[in-house]
Amino acid sequence: MRRAPVPGLLLPPPPLLLLLGLLVLDRGCTAQYSSDLCNWRGSGLTHESHKKDVEQIYLRCSEGSIEWMYPTGALIINLRPNIFLSSSKHWTVCIKPLKDSAGANIYLEKTGELKLLFRDGDHSSTRVHCFSFEQGGLFVEATPQQDISRKITGFQYELINKGTASDLHMIYAPCRPCSDTEVLLAVCTSDFVVRGIIQNVINEEEQQDSIIDVSVNRIYRQKTKIFKPADETGTWEGQIKTLLQCGVKPGEGDFLFTGRMHFGEARLGCAPRFKDFQRIYKEAKDKGLNPCEIGPD
């Protein structure tokens, strides 16, 4: 699905990427602009006779995907969202490999130094890697292949605002209980906010995720149809994912579940017990400090 670019001013080419472009000119660098500003799909067969070519890919959206069939040579992924240059430090880039992605290694590059993010053929988990613009850019290099069987290197990317408390919590401390301030901000900024109970928890060892089955008795907000009617009684149900290491277990009592959509999945943010949220909200409202209005009852 095509996404709208992040509003703001166009970000000029970072000096890092200009330097990297100069370094690869002697390797036959070929400019490659995508007609879709959010997604790119290409084939290494277009330069089979020049296997050391390095292609430049330019993307300007807040989310999208890369699919590289028959990888040969390398790709430099230029993420240039339409944001203020001075505010780029407030954004984090997250990438997630597509299932069965193969044929290339994915690196984080800065001033000629490469840090391996995903190794070719490593399907032990579909983990997500996040990094800031200051840490470098993406460099994807094809690995030598002994056969001509079809290989596709692919991943999704998303830009996340580090200035948003709920996003910051999910990226850097997903298992830590939220502070009162984080709970209030999560209620105002999350993609979904619901009151419900934990029906069941399914642990996925391979994905290192836990799937939380939630029975919902009130929906305050949901931007996508995560929670749907389960039966004629009016009960709504849905699933939320979180890291396996957080150790979520079924338990009694109502919770306030908040979170964001990441790579098409509902990811858990702050989730206080509902009685604790009521206390936090009332105290903030009495002091005139609540950042938004929501019916806590």
Side-chain angles (χ1 to χ4, degrees):
M1 180 183 297
R2 181 165 176 164
R3 302 290 184 180
V6 180
L9 297 180
L10 190 62
L11 182 66
L16 167 61
L17 295 178
L18 291 178
L19 174 60
L20 184 55
L22 292 174
L23 290 174
V24 300
L25 278 176
D26 61 344
R27 297 177 63 186
C29 182
T30 304
Q32 173 67 53
Y33 289 86
S34 172
S35 59
D36 184 334
L37 296 179
C38 302
N39 308 288
W40 181 87
R41 188 176 187 182
S43 172
L45 296 181
T46 58
H47 53 81
E48 180 65 25
S49 61
H50 305 284
K51 291 187 176 181
K52 291 187 177 180
D53 279 357
V54 178
E55 295 190 38
Q56 298 266 5
I57 309 301
Y58 296 87
L59 300 169
R60 306 185 187 278
C61 293
S62 60
E63 59 183 271
S65 64
I66 296 286
E67 289 187 58
W68 192 21
M69 297 180 291
Y70 304 103
T72 58
L75 300 178
I76 298 172
I77 312 298
N78 298 277
L79 297 177
R80 297 180 180 176
N82 295 334
I83 58 176
F84 287 102
L85 177 60
S86 60
S87 67
S88 63
K89 63 183 179 180
H90 299 303
W91 292 85
T92 291
V93 180
C94 291
I95 64 172
K96 178 181 180 180
L98 300 180
K99 185 179 180 180
D100 299 326
S101 175
N105 295 325
I106 303 175
Y107 299 91
L108 183 63
E109 190 282 338
K110 184 174 183 180
T111 60
E113 297 285 336
L114 294 178
K115 176 184 177 182
L116 183 64
L117 299 181
F118 299 103
R119 186 181 301 279
D120 179 21
D122 180 10
H123 300 132
S124 58
S125 68
T126 55
R127 60 192 182 280
V128 174
H129 270 292
C130 299
F131 55 90
S132 66
F133 281 107
E134 289 86 353
Q135 289 179 279
L138 289 173
F139 183 79
V140 186
E141 186 174 37
T143 55
Q145 302 296 327
Q146 300 299 322
D147 57 66
I148 59 172
S149 60
R150 181 171 178 173
K151 305 282 187 182
I152 299 179
T153 297
F155 61 87
Q156 297 170 279
Y157 72 88
E158 286 186 353
L159 269 65
I160 298 173
N161 189 346
K162 291 190 291 184
T164 303
S166 57
D167 284 339
L168 196 63
H169 177 266
M170 278 189 289
I171 294 172
Y172 297 107
C175 301
R176 175 181 59 79
C178 292
S179 66
D180 290 359
T181 299
E182 288 172 332
V183 168
L184 292 171
L185 289 176
V187 167
C188 300
T189 62
S190 294
D191 290 339
F192 61 88
V193 182
V194 300
R195 176 184 177 180
I197 61 173
I198 299 176
Q199 284 190 314
N200 189 31
V201 177
I202 303 171
N203 294 324
E204 294 186 326
E205 296 288 344
E206 182 177 351
Q207 307 298 329
Q208 289 296 295
D209 273 336
S210 292
I211 302 175
I212 308 169
D213 290 327
V214 177
S215 177
V216 175
N217 52 46
R218 180 163 182 180
I219 296 176
Y220 296 97
R221 182 189 311 116
Q222 65 168 341
K223 293 185 178 180
T224 57
K225 294 182 179 180
I226 306 165
F227 306 98
K228 301 176 182 179
D231 50 44
E232 297 179 354
T233 63
T235 302
W236 290 58
E237 294 180 348
Q239 293 185 329
I240 306 172
K241 284 191 174 184
T242 191
L243 294 180
L244 179 64
Q245 69 190 53
C246 295
V248 177
K249 300 182 184 300
E252 297 181 356
D254 284 10
F255 293 84
L256 186 78
F257 298 97
T258 71
R260 293 275 190 175
M261 294 299 297
H262 285 297
F263 300 112
E265 299 177 340
R267 306 294 303 191
L268 184 64
C270 297
R273 289 194 175 273
F274 191 74
K275 62 180 181 180
D276 293 330
F277 164 66
Q278 288 179 305
R279 172 187 56 77
I280 294 168
Y281 184 85
K282 183 179 184 303
E283 290 177 356
K285 189 173 183 179
D286 290 344
K287 298 176 182 178
L289 298 177
N290 53 317
C292 66
E293 293 286 339
I294 185 172
D297 298 326

